[in-house]
Amino acid sequence: MSAHAMLAAQDSRRQEQRYVFRRRGLMTTDEATLQIRTVDVSAHGLAVMSPSPIKAGKLCSIMLDAVIGARIVQLHFSCKAIYCILAGTEGFRTSLYIDGNVDTHKQQLQKIIATCSSASLAASN
């Protein structure tokens, strides 16, 4: 399957609204710690760019700083890689599932989305 076809298939399976969310952070697996950049966020996960591929099914943790309301906070998430694809010269785009049943994860994701939503509304006005 081509990269374009794989991304199109992923887009058609998405059920949640995704919001642009660009931050630098760290992703740690049992093998390495990588510098990442977030791409977007949804109610159940993040898309990130990394210099190395992450195997689908791999468990990892994410740590990043974000502006929530008027405060800078450090966020921690436990994640599972859903898919990973080479994205040109930018590195590897990985879709990460974050368990919404963990209350702190759910609350943090809701706060990020609320901040992203209000920022996009302000930009469109």
Side-chain angles (χ1 to χ4, degrees), residues 15-53:
Q15 305 225 340
E16 298 93 18
Q17 175 73 33
R18 299 186 78 79
Y19 300 91
V20 174
F21 181 64
R22 307 282 165 107
R23 299 290 182 276
R24 293 191 185 277
L26 296 174
M27 177 168 48
T28 303
T29 67
D30 57 351
E31 299 165 351
T33 296
L34 304 169
Q35 290 186 5
I36 54 131
R37 289 178 295 116
T38 61
V39 177
D40 59 35
V41 62
S42 74
H44 292 286
L46 292 167
V48 301
M49 296 297 296
S50 67
S52 301

Side-chain angles (χ1 to χ4, degrees), residues 12-107:
S12 66
R13 292 194 308 225
R14 288 186 178 157
Q15 305 225 340
E16 298 93 18
Q17 175 73 33
R18 299 186 78 79
Y19 300 91
V20 174
F21 181 64
R22 307 282 165 107
R23 299 290 182 276
R24 293 191 185 277
L26 296 174
M27 177 168 48
T28 303
T29 67
D30 57 351
E31 299 165 351
T33 296
L34 304 169
Q35 290 186 5
I36 54 131
R37 289 178 295 116
T38 61
V39 177
D40 59 35
V41 62
S42 74
H44 292 286
L46 292 167
V48 301
M49 296 297 296
S50 67
S52 301
I54 303 299
K55 188 178 248 185
K58 176 73 79 176
L59 298 177
C60 60
S61 63
I62 299 288
M63 182 175 66
L64 52 101
D65 293 333
V67 178
I68 305 293
R71 295 181 28 215
I72 297 175
V73 296
Q74 191 171 70
L75 304 174
H76 298 270
F77 295 105
S78 297
C79 310
K80 180 179 180 181
I82 302 301
Y83 77 92
C84 182
I85 187 168
L86 179 63
T89 60
E90 295 183 46
F92 294 86
R93 182 183 173 116
T94 304
S95 176
L96 299 171
Y97 170 75
I98 299 172
D99 189 356
N101 292 326
V102 177
D103 285 337
T104 56
H105 290 172
K106 186 175 183 177
Q107 291 168 3

